[in-house]
Amino acid sequence: MCLFCKIASGEVPANKLLENDAFLAFHDINPRAPIHLLIIPKVHVEKFQDVTGELMAEMTPFIQEVAKKLDLDENGYRLIVNNGRDGGQEIYHLHFHLLGGTRLTWPHFSPEEAKKAI
Ligand code: 5GP
Ligand code: ZN
């Protein structure tokens, strides 16, 4: 079982905000913004590239509900999915980062980075 499967099952503790049968939102252990949640499906999906449209369709209103619960629906927030090696994914269980609580800067990469080929 991967770390986020263990968090989903309750085997590993997490600071949970919202959950239902299929999804869980909990606070990131190493926040990069005043508000930084991770939103996962309880079923193990490795990465965004593997998720079905059906699961994403169910996940969308859950994410919106999380934002509402955090009172971010009016002022806004950022959703990030790191997908695979080049996306910087560290935990291979699909998760959306929901960041907010401040005016976030953009972009994350330098102009030099944007010109670099792999
Ligand atoms: P990734 O780089 O895979 O997109 O993001 C993984 C995220 O999981 C990181 O932001 C990291 O801080 C968070 N994280 C790693 N281990 C734990 C943990 O045990 N508990 C919680 N709540 N977050 C974790
Ligand atoms: Zn998992």
Side-chain angles (χ1 to χ4, degrees), residues 92-110:
Y92 278 80
H93 179 128
L94 172 67
H95 51 282
F96 281 74
H97 295 259
L98 189 157
L99 300 139
T102 188
R103 195 69 68 88
L104 295 161
T105 55
W106 178 264
H108 294 288
F109 43 83
S110 63

Side-chain angles (χ1 to χ4, degrees), residues 26-90:
F26 57 99
H27 291 267
D28 196 294
I29 208 165
N30 181 24
R32 311 295 176 101
I35 297 171
H36 185 174
L37 273 285
L38 298 174
I39 304 169
I40 63 168
K42 289 188 173 177
V43 63
H44 183 82
V45 176
E46 263 205 4
K47 56 188 190 296
F48 184 78
Q49 194 60 29
D50 303 324
V51 76
T52 63
E54 287 78 9
L55 190 64
M56 278 313 307
E58 287 175 35
M59 202 167 178
T60 300
F62 183 80
I63 294 171
Q64 291 165 340
E65 196 183 337
V66 170
K68 210 155 192 165
K69 187 150 189 188
L70 292 163
D71 219 19
L72 296 177
D73 50 325
E74 288 295 327
N75 288 342
Y77 53 91
R78 182 170 298 159
L79 291 175
I80 295 175
V81 183
N82 297 325
N83 182 83
R85 185 197 63 185
D86 286 357
Q89 186 172 2
E90 284 174 2

